[in-house]
Amino acid sequence: AVLAMLLASEEGNADETAAATETLEAVANNNAVPLIYRQIASFKALIRTGGSLSIDERRAGFQDLATPGSALRLLAEEQQALLDIEAGDTAAALAKLQAIMADSEVTAGLRRRASQLIVSLGGTLDAA
């Protein structure tokens, strides 16, 4: 799985986006691969597909990764907020970002990105 993800990275660096996405999807759909690697591959594939999938298709993919207990839950929620911004739903994006900020598992980096997005969208940060 790790080798395939490295291959996908190289394919992406060579502007072979379709091949990189296909490689990542192969890992994501291989039940013999440990779940965390399948989730990482799925996350990366969703990010790579960008314009080739609709917002709703990408939202559904990230929703699958945003389940409680998932190691990628907060990152998937961040991507959902970005999809809300892309769709023009600033209020929904702000609500998701505020929820990320309030989560006890948020990392410093994600907290910083979320707070920057909140401010850039015209929201306010809680004093806490």
Side-chain angles (χ1 to χ4, degrees):
V2 174
L3 181 59
M5 286 193 274
L6 288 171
L7 173 62
S9 177
E10 289 302 314
E11 290 168 336
N13 289 339
D15 289 330
E16 297 172 9
T17 304
T21 302
E22 186 176 308
T23 300
L24 290 166
E25 287 174 348
V27 173
N29 295 322
N30 184 346
N31 288 331
V33 173
L35 179 61
I36 185 63
Y37 294 114
R38 292 193 323 255
Q39 290 175 334
I40 292 169
S42 180
F43 185 87
K44 289 178 175 242
L46 283 167
I47 289 174
R48 282 207 175 277
T49 56
S52 66
L53 291 178
S54 72
I55 288 176
D56 290 336
E57 290 169 318
R58 287 180 282 157
R59 187 181 313 281
F62 287 120
Q63 183 62 42
D64 288 344
L65 295 170
T67 57
S70 170
L72 301 176
R73 179 180 60 86
L74 288 173
L75 294 175
E77 289 177 9
E78 176 188 29
Q79 292 302 312
Q80 289 177 322
L82 293 173
L83 289 173
D84 287 336
I85 294 168
E86 185 178 334
D89 192 348
T90 303
L94 285 168
K96 283 181 179 73
L97 293 166
Q98 291 288 0
I100 289 170
M101 293 284 292
D103 196 288
S104 64
E105 296 178 359
V106 69
T107 63
L110 180 51
R111 181 182 304 278
R112 184 174 45 257
R113 290 192 308 274
S115 65
Q116 289 170 342
L117 274 171
I118 289 168
V119 171
S120 69
L121 292 172
T124 57
L125 300 174
D126 292 335

